[in-house]
Amino acid sequence: MSNIVAVNGLSFRYGDRLALDDISLSVTRGSMFALLGPNGSGKTTFFRILATLLTPQDGTATIDGFDVVKDCAAVRRRIGIVFQSPSLDIHLSVAENLRHSGHLYGLRGGDLQQRIDAALAAVTLADRRGERVKALSGGMRRRAEIARVLLHRPQLLILDEPSTGLDPAARAELWRHLGRVQAESDATILVTTHLMDEAERCDRVAIFDRGKLVITGTPDELKSRIGGDCVTIRGGDLKQLAADIDAANFGPARALDKALRIETTSATKLAADLMQRFGERISELTIGRPTLDDVFIHETGHVFETSSESTSSKQKGRR
Ligand code: ADP
């Protein structure tokens, strides 16, 4: 299958700050692709370059063969962009918002009407079409934004942290709809996220950290790089416990937010050894398959930090 996105040696600087450092990656047509990274890793900068809103200082990015800088009009016809910050007019109805957007793309009459019907059906909002956007829940508003960018039948949908601000149920619903849009429209979907479980739902994941592309692969490929299981330990004074576990040659024990994690190919034996040696200091011990969190730690040597800033809605650019 061909690639819809091809990025080569892409770098971007805000003044002296290098936000993207020599990124090369490609996205297969028709796939669901996640750009996963902690706050400040460069996801939004990458998103904005693909959306033709920022010009990189080095490297190239093409969408469907068109350069995001030189052929920006052709790129814009091929992409649908959903920003983190809401961009619907909350005083207009859902259908009115879509009609206005359609007009901007030169769509009119029966054709536009059909497209609006199809787009609203794709996100299960047909019965809310006459309602003002301000009367919709956060999840519905997000879905209405997606419907709006489907009108011109983009080949690539790019969404910047689309579940920001949604509760878990609305997030799950949003992802169900994204899957459906992908299956029904053949569009490629590229999503930035700092949430591991969202990246897990995608066909491929590119992990970003501090402006660099750390690794790309399917979630299973990435997790299989760890080559074993992970033992997770909770207890008091984790810093000292980690040092003692390392000193006893059971480590390395990596500190997570409120736990320690040790990669191992013989988890049951390690668990028994740890309980025998440090049982009194361990309040909980679990054995599990590696997660993308473990992959991040494994590849970067540090914890995936989701600071409060990354979980709140950052006000980012609009079209
Ligand atoms: P993410 O979306 O992963 O949180 P960003 O692309 O927003 O990352 O940011 C990458 C880096 O660029 C960060 O160090 C951030 O502070 C910096 N940055 C982002 N926007 C600007 C800006 N407008 N001016 C200066 N620095 C910026």
Side-chain angles (χ1 to χ4, degrees):
M1 253 199 280
S2 65
N3 292 326
I4 180 133
V5 179
V7 173
N8 233 311
L10 200 70
S11 293
F12 188 90
R13 276 170 229 90
Y14 294 99
D16 291 340
R17 181 176 296 142
L18 188 57
L20 290 176
D21 185 3
D22 198 14
I23 305 284
S24 297
L25 61 80
S26 51
V27 178
T28 310
R29 212 174 275 276
S31 64
M32 178 101 81
F33 192 97
L35 220 76
L36 172 70
N39 187 34
S41 56
K43 304 181 298 293
T44 298
T45 304
F46 188 85
F47 164 90
R48 290 174 66 82
I49 291 172
L50 288 192
T52 75
L53 301 171
L54 282 179
T55 304
Q57 286 94 356
D58 286 303
T60 57
T62 61
I63 292 176
D64 199 24
F66 293 96
D67 188 287
V68 295
V69 179
K70 291 187 215 128
D71 312 312
C72 109
V75 167
R76 286 183 182 188
R77 280 195 294 275
R78 285 165 173 77
I79 59 176
I81 313 168
V82 178
F83 293 100
Q84 242 185 81
S85 36
S87 55
L88 295 174
D89 188 330
I90 59 166
H91 302 293
L92 297 182
S93 73
V94 175
E96 284 166 342
N97 267 285
L98 266 60
R99 212 169 300 126
H100 283 305
S101 282
H103 291 162
L104 293 177
Y105 280 100
L107 301 168
R108 299 254 179 286
D111 177 35
L112 175 57
Q113 198 52 51
Q114 273 179 9
R115 289 178 187 233
I116 290 175
D117 292 346
L120 288 177
V123 296
T124 336
L125 276 182
D127 58 336
R128 314 298 288 253
R129 59 190 309 138
E131 269 179 58
R132 288 191 190 197
V133 170
K134 69 176 176 187
L136 302 183
S137 69
M140 287 177 187
R141 290 183 193 191
R142 244 329 114 98
R143 276 151 48 198
E145 302 223 26
I146 293 172
R148 191 180 59 159
V149 302
L150 291 176
L151 290 178
H152 63 290
R153 298 185 182 138
Q155 296 178 28
L156 175 70
L157 277 184
I158 343 178
L159 304 98
D160 193 17
E161 307 230 6
S163 58
T164 298
L166 301 186
D167 61 41
R171 272 179 51 199
E173 181 81 344
L174 177 76
W175 276 89
R176 208 169 54 74
H177 281 95
L178 282 179
R180 197 165 141 192
V181 165
Q182 182 205 15
E184 288 176 5
S185 69
D186 279 344
T188 310
I189 300 185
L190 191 153
V191 181
T192 72
T193 182
H194 64 273
L195 300 170
M196 302 286 172
D197 61 320
E198 296 194 345
E200 288 266 6
R201 295 168 181 261
C202 293
D203 300 312
R204 283 183 84 76
V205 181
I207 298 182
F208 277 40
D209 184 41
R210 301 172 186 175
K212 288 194 190 324
L213 175 62
V214 178
I215 193 161
T216 313
T218 66
D220 282 344
E221 276 166 11
L222 297 181
K223 286 184 279 183
S224 70
R225 288 173 64 84
I226 291 188
D229 292 320
C230 289
V231 174
T232 305
I233 300 166
R234 292 176 203 279
D237 197 355
L238 290 177
K239 205 170 161 203
Q240 186 58 49
L241 186 56
D244 294 344
I245 287 172
D246 290 352
N249 286 326
F250 291 137
R254 299 191 201 275
L256 304 183
D257 193 16
K258 289 185 179 102
L260 300 178
R261 189 98 103 227
I262 308 172
E263 293 170 19
T264 174
T265 49
S266 48
T268 39
K269 179 170 185 322
L270 177 65
D273 289 346
L274 286 168
M275 286 312 285
Q276 191 184 24
R277 187 80 174 263
F278 302 107
E280 284 172 11
R281 295 158 68 187
I282 295 174
S283 61
E284 183 185 319
L285 183 151
T286 52
I287 297 174
R289 303 293 302 155
T291 62
L292 287 178
D293 242 315
D294 299 310
V295 174
F296 187 85
I297 297 171
H298 183 84
E299 299 295 331
T300 65
H302 58 261
V303 184
F304 189 104
E305 282 183 35
T306 47
S307 66
S308 54
E309 194 196 332
S310 68
T311 48
S312 70
S313 176
K314 289 184 278 176
Q315 288 300 305
K316 299 256 164 108
R318 288 159 184 256
R319 228 181 323 193

